[in-house]
Amino acid sequence: MVELLSSASAVNHALDAVAVYLNARIELHDRHNSVIGASGPDRASCHGVEISSRLSPQSRLTVHLSCVDEDTTLTEPSARIALHALKLQLLRLCERSATIETLRGDLQEKLLTGNFTNTAHIQRRLALIGCAPIGSDARVIVIRARDQADQISERFHSDLRATFPDYLVDHRDESTVVIIGNGGSEEELSLQIADLLGREEHRRKRKGTSKGSPGDSRRFVAGIGRRTEQLHEVSISYDEARAACTVGMSNPQTSIDGVASARALGLQGLASIPNAQLQAMVTDTFGPIIAHDERHGTHYMTTISSYLANDRHLGDTAAELHVHYNTVRNRIARIEELLDLSFARTDDRYRAETAVRMAAVLAARTAPTTAL
């Protein structure tokens, strides 16, 4: 039996071997007592002794055994050896699963793209690598450096792990993508992320590795996506977090704590709109200035985004764009002429702000995202 068990290459195969040997139902439970693997007769057929045993003091998984026969005892050496051998093999398989997931990143890829159909299979894989089930209360956070030369330190990841023990992390181009299984309220999460970014900033200044940034802005910006209700919404939360991070890079409101929320920026809901429709709506609003930028090398789209983000304050916009006050004023006048609108009118301003957000979502979606 032990020989057969040691050659089992999957959790269910290991459970099968011991279930047959002990004539019992064997279940593997996660930290919330949900069954993630089972073998043997159904529970109604089991009338004997029942025991539950943690795989190890550090593991979050539990083996639950229900014997079929009432006179079956688990005090015999052979039964104890079978149970301990099962626990050992399950620990080996879990460690292998965690290593594979770390090397391949396939699980994160499926979660972030929504490219899966079997939710139970994904939850089982999460449990095997020690993560809590993801469903309600999960959020995605995208962290990006303002300067591509900057990299998040290992200490930041240690702090992140201490704050969110059940997080998953992925690296895509210059972004760090974090999936938190239970992020709590947005306000609490924003404070926690701001604190982590603040500590990273303090470490960099203390070591002399931070070159400083305009207006004492954070070197890193974190975008927070929506709170999910089910597993498939993780991909929507990711789209929103990417867009929030993109908008936050140029939004003065994120300069102090470095945190940008998709909800606060009005990006929620836009992530579910197809790219073609987003593109059509952006072109319908900004088509003339997009074409003008392409033909003449102007910066009207950048100007309008900064102008609206700075609440139409010409001085702040000029400072952010590093141009003269009169340059911004002339650009805005030309933009209003090309688009046949006035930013003084509420309806025109609302339409422009909505289109800016749509453009940010579209840019975040269509930017290359190569998993490292």
Side-chain angles (χ1 to χ4, degrees), residues 202-272:
H202 178 71
R203 282 192 294 267
R204 297 174 67 83
K205 289 181 179 178
R206 188 176 58 191
K207 293 180 179 179
T209 57
S210 178
K211 301 175 183 178
S213 55
D216 294 325
S217 298
R218 291 282 188 223
R219 301 297 299 176
F220 299 93
V221 172
I224 301 178
R226 71 169 59 198
R227 172 186 174 275
T228 66
E229 294 291 342
Q230 53 187 343
L231 196 61
H232 279 91
E233 292 182 9
V234 170
S235 61
I236 299 177
S237 184
Y238 171 54
D239 286 339
E240 292 179 350
R242 288 178 65 196
C245 187
T246 300
V247 175
M249 297 288 283
S250 59
N251 193 325
Q253 294 177 354
T254 65
S255 63
I256 298 177
D257 58 15
V259 179
S261 159
R263 181 190 59 81
L265 292 171
L267 301 178
Q268 283 193 324
L270 298 180
S272 59

Side-chain angles (χ1 to χ4, degrees), residues 208-346:
T209 57
S210 178
K211 301 175 183 178
S213 55
D216 294 325
S217 298
R218 291 282 188 223
R219 301 297 299 176
F220 299 93
V221 172
I224 301 178
R226 71 169 59 198
R227 172 186 174 275
T228 66
E229 294 291 342
Q230 53 187 343
L231 196 61
H232 279 91
E233 292 182 9
V234 170
S235 61
I236 299 177
S237 184
Y238 171 54
D239 286 339
E240 292 179 350
R242 288 178 65 196
C245 187
T246 300
V247 175
M249 297 288 283
S250 59
N251 193 325
Q253 294 177 354
T254 65
S255 63
I256 298 177
D257 58 15
V259 179
S261 159
R263 181 190 59 81
L265 292 171
L267 301 178
Q268 283 193 324
L270 298 180
S272 59
I273 300 176
N275 282 5
Q277 189 173 347
L278 282 176
Q279 185 65 68
M281 298 171 78
V282 170
T283 302
D284 182 60
T285 304
F286 293 141
I289 63 173
I290 292 173
H292 197 281
D293 283 350
E294 292 175 351
R295 287 197 305 266
H296 304 287
T298 49
H299 304 282
Y300 288 158
M301 276 300 296
T302 304
T303 301
I304 194 173
S305 297
S306 177
Y307 180 64
L308 293 174
N310 283 286
D311 199 21
R312 297 181 295 147
H313 193 280
L314 292 175
D316 290 346
T317 305
E320 183 177 296
L321 298 178
H322 305 292
V323 297
H324 194 273
Y325 177 94
N326 289 334
T327 301
V328 175
R329 184 174 59 183
N330 293 335
R331 284 184 187 178
I332 295 302
R334 181 59 174 151
I335 288 170
E336 289 182 327
E337 180 184 347
L338 287 171
L339 298 182
D340 190 24
L341 56 73
S342 171
F343 291 116
R345 290 198 294 265
T346 304

Side-chain angles (χ1 to χ4, degrees), residues 125-139:
R125 288 172 62 180
L126 286 167
L128 288 176
I129 64 174
C131 290
I134 292 178
S136 61
D137 265 357
R139 290 184 187 271

Side-chain angles (χ1 to χ4, degrees), residues 20-86:
V20 171
Y21 181 77
L22 295 179
N23 189 26
R25 178 174 178 81
I26 311 287
E27 295 179 348
L28 184 62
H29 293 192
D30 65 14
R31 60 188 294 188
H32 298 286
N33 207 32
S34 299
V35 178
I36 60 173
S39 183
D42 57 44
R43 289 185 179 181
S45 304
C46 300
H47 306 288
V49 65
E50 294 188 10
I51 63 169
S52 292
S53 178
R54 292 273 292 275
L55 291 192
S56 74
Q58 295 77 30
S59 176
R60 299 174 180 180
L61 303 180
T62 304
V63 175
H64 185 82
L65 186 148
S66 302
C67 295
V68 172
D69 301 325
E70 293 184 5
D71 57 349
T72 298
T73 176
L74 296 176
T75 58
E76 298 177 4
S78 59
R80 294 203 305 273
I81 289 174
L83 184 58
H84 288 299
L86 172 63

